[in-house]
Structures are given as C-alpha cells and as structure tokens.
Amino acid sequence: MEAYVIGTLIVGFIAGYLGQRSRMCFVGGIRDLYLIKSTHLFKGLIGFLIAAFAGYILFNNNIAFPWFVEKGALSAIPGAPCILGIPALSIAIIGGLGIGFFAVLSGGCPFRNTVMTAEGNLKALWYVIGFFVGAVIFHLFIFGFIQSLFGC
Amino acid sequence: MNKDKNEEEFSKIKNFRINPWMAGAIIGFFAASLQQIASMTKPPAYGFCMACHARDLINSIINPIAGTNLGIAGIVTSIPTLTIIGVLLGSFVAAIIFKEFKVTKAKFNVSYLKMFILGILVMNFALILSACPIRTSLRVAHGDIIALVGLICIGIGAIIGTIVLERRIEV
C-alpha cells in the first residue's frame, strides 16, 4: 500500500515534469490533428500506447493480461462487476463523447490543465477546483442514477 | 482559434527540449510498470489516472470528516493516491527551473466560472467512463476492448468540440 502511494507520487512528479517540458496533451493531440493537421502532439498518445503495452508485457508476472470487461472494468467505481454488453458500451460511448467534447472546450485534457495550474494559470486552477468538486457531486448524485440506469 | 496564430505557436512548441512522443512513452512505461512493482493489481490498469486518483484523494479526505461513504477504488482504503499532487509538484518544479512560471489571469471573471463548470463536467464524464484520457489509453494498452471504444469516442467528441469552437469564432 505505502509503495503504491509513494509510487503514484513519484510517477506523478515525473509525468508533471515531462508534461510541462513537452506540452503533452492527448485531447489536444486529436484536436491539432483535425484542426491544423499536425501530428506533433498526437505522437504523445501513440508513444504512450506503445510504451504502456511494452511495460505490461515486460512486467507481466502476476496480473491477467489482457484484461476485459468481465473482470469489472467499466463500473463507476473500479472493481464492481459490469458485464460486456450494451450497458458497458453505452457507458463508454457517453463518457467518451462527453470527455472529448468538454475537454476541447476547456483547452486540453485534465492532465494538461493540471500542468497549466502549476505554471500559474488561474483559469486552470479553477478547472482543477471544479475537478475535485465534480468528483464529490458525481458520487453524491450521479453515481446512483447511472447505476440504476445501466445496472453497473 | 486563429490558424496562423496556431501555427506560430506550434513552431514555438517544436523547439522545446522533450518531444511529446518521448514524454508519452516514458509516462506510459512508468504507469504500466508501477502497479507490478508496487504489487497492486486490483483494479487493473490503475497506475496513472487524473480523474480516478483525484476522486480517491478527495473522497478519502472527505469521508472521515463528513462521515459519508463516498466511493473509493478498492486498493486505496486508508491512504489516498497522490498522482495529482505529484503532477502539480513536478510541473511546478519544471516551470521554476526553466523560468516559465507566470501568474496569468483571465480577461473576464466569467471565464473562471466557465472553467469551474467545465471541470465539473469533465470529471463527471470521466468518472462515468471510469477513466481520464490517460487511463483510457492505459486500459487500451492493457487489452480492454471497451476502453478502445471509449478512446475512439473521446476522439469523436474532441472533433465535435473543435467544430463547435470553430463555428462560434467564425460567427
């Protein structure tokens, strides 16, 4: 447990440092690919996918790989069961479209906005505050609604 | 969103030291290997997530104070995950080292409210998908088909958002 908590702090530190130096942003990469046909930021997403895949192959000692939805991927709280089917797919589609749309309106994905907060951007600071408030709102009101609607 | 301005900014971005693909690769590798190194295997593909780890952090702070039982991922019952703190610290250190820290204010106070509401909305949709864009990619790398659908939908949503932004500025 402690190793994991310290590990997230260290990985977060490395990611924040690299993110500040490289302006990496996944949603921004898709936006630039569409808007100005530049693959500069989009390569971040490709590199991430390849390296994460390599990491899972390399350290694949004790986890089931590949991992599909029947093991409880897609619930609002990770770990609760949700079976692969229409509910899981519709949750993925609603969530994905919503993240993409509102992330573009806010100028980048959550990671980019957090990095911009640390650079002194007050707009991004309010975004991060809204981020924490949104988590509480989700679990107070929306989680139960989604659960009763889709059953997971 | 002016195209010339974008290209100008883009040529500036190109001169930075670390390429996005390299940064993405390093983050992806660490995020993938962290769980195995720390032997935290449940939930899978949980090494790096802005939305879920922020949720775990805020809920594990609020739960003891308010006596509520807001949801936390199975692995983090007593100690919160600190990814978002790490990202803030890391990018702050980088901004200080390379002298890029500058407090920038918005022109109108309404922009703060807009960003606040957008933050709430993005967090809610991210928790519906149970992943931010980064964890979605991590899940795709882990072999999750549903996450692939989610990633494609993030792309479609981003393109729709770009079109809406373009139209609004043309008008």
Side-chain angles (χ1 to χ4, degrees):
Chain A
M1 176 72 85
E2 283 80 7
Y4 184 72
V5 172
I6 296 163
T8 53
L9 188 65
I10 293 168
V11 171
F13 188 89
I14 295 167
Y17 188 89
L18 293 173
Q20 206 278 331
R21 293 318 300 152
S22 67
R23 270 72 178 149
M24 192 190 72
C25 172
F26 289 2
V27 174
I30 296 166
R31 180 198 60 201
D32 281 0
L33 190 67
Y34 173 77
L35 195 67
I36 55 173
K37 305 278 181 293
S38 91
T39 53
H40 181 68
L41 285 175
F42 190 71
K43 279 178 196 153
L45 176 57
I46 305 295
F48 185 94
L49 282 175
I50 293 168
F53 187 69
Y56 279 124
I57 296 280
L58 212 65
F59 289 92
N60 186 20
N61 309 320
N62 47 4
I63 63 159
F65 175 84
W67 155 73
F68 293 109
V69 185
E70 56 266 27
K71 290 191 178 143
L74 231 103
S75 47
I77 296 178
C82 181
I83 308 151
L84 177 58
I86 304 286
L89 276 175
S90 44
I91 283 185
I93 290 169
I94 293 170
L97 288 177
I99 297 175
F101 185 75
F102 292 115
V104 162
L105 290 193
S106 63
C109 58
F111 177 71
R112 179 80 191 113
N113 268 299
T114 314
V115 170
M116 266 154 62
T117 307
E119 287 173 5
N121 191 322
L122 290 180
K123 269 163 79 180
L125 175 67
W126 276 99
Y127 179 92
V128 172
I129 294 169
F131 218 57
F132 283 113
V133 174
V136 177
I137 288 175
F138 178 80
H139 281 283
L140 282 180
F141 306 110
I142 296 165
F143 175 56
F145 174 68
I146 292 288
Q147 223 172 14
S148 61
L149 204 63
F150 296 106
C152 56
Chain B
M1 217 168 283
N2 202 327
K3 278 193 184 177
D4 294 342
K5 206 178 174 188
N6 255 346
E7 263 156 0
E8 201 179 285
E9 226 162 68
F10 174 65
S11 63
K12 244 192 274 171
I13 288 170
K14 248 186 170 174
N15 296 330
F16 281 123
R17 208 168 288 173
I18 300 170
N19 288 326
W21 70 265
M22 208 189 270
I26 295 168
I27 297 169
F29 186 77
F30 276 114
S33 50
L34 167 67
Q35 268 192 302
Q36 277 78 351
I37 290 168
S39 59
M40 280 289 172
T41 53
K42 207 172 184 294
Y46 205 61
F48 191 95
C49 179
M50 299 308 291
C52 313
H53 286 182
R55 185 264 317 269
D56 291 341
L57 178 61
I58 191 74
N59 283 359
S60 61
I61 290 169
I62 283 182
N63 277 345
I65 295 171
T68 49
N69 192 20
L70 302 174
I72 296 173
I75 42 166
V76 273
T77 44
S78 57
I79 318 172
T81 44
L82 298 171
T83 304
I84 199 159
I85 308 288
V87 170
L88 281 173
L89 279 177
S91 43
F92 183 68
V93 167
I96 290 290
I97 289 175
F98 293 92
K99 296 190 175 61
E100 284 175 349
F101 182 82
K102 200 177 106 207
V103 176
T104 44
K105 289 177 184 170
K107 270 182 198 165
F108 310 106
N109 284 335
V110 187
S111 330
Y112 296 130
L113 184 67
K114 195 190 101 190
M115 288 302 269
F116 181 68
I117 292 167
L118 280 174
I120 292 175
L121 282 170
V122 170
M123 182 53 140
N124 276 293
F125 280 107
L127 285 180
I128 287 173
L129 181 61
S130 168
C132 73
I134 294 184
R135 195 191 167 213
T136 316
S137 317
L138 203 59
R139 275 166 57 175
V140 172
H142 201 298
D144 184 354
I145 286 172
I146 288 291
L148 189 61
V149 176
L151 191 62
I152 292 166
C153 284
I154 289 176
I156 296 169
I159 290 171
I160 294 171
T162 314
I163 293 169
V164 168
L165 271 183
E166 266 184 323
R167 289 279 155 82
R168 209 174 58 184
I169 277 142
E170 274 170 22
V171 170

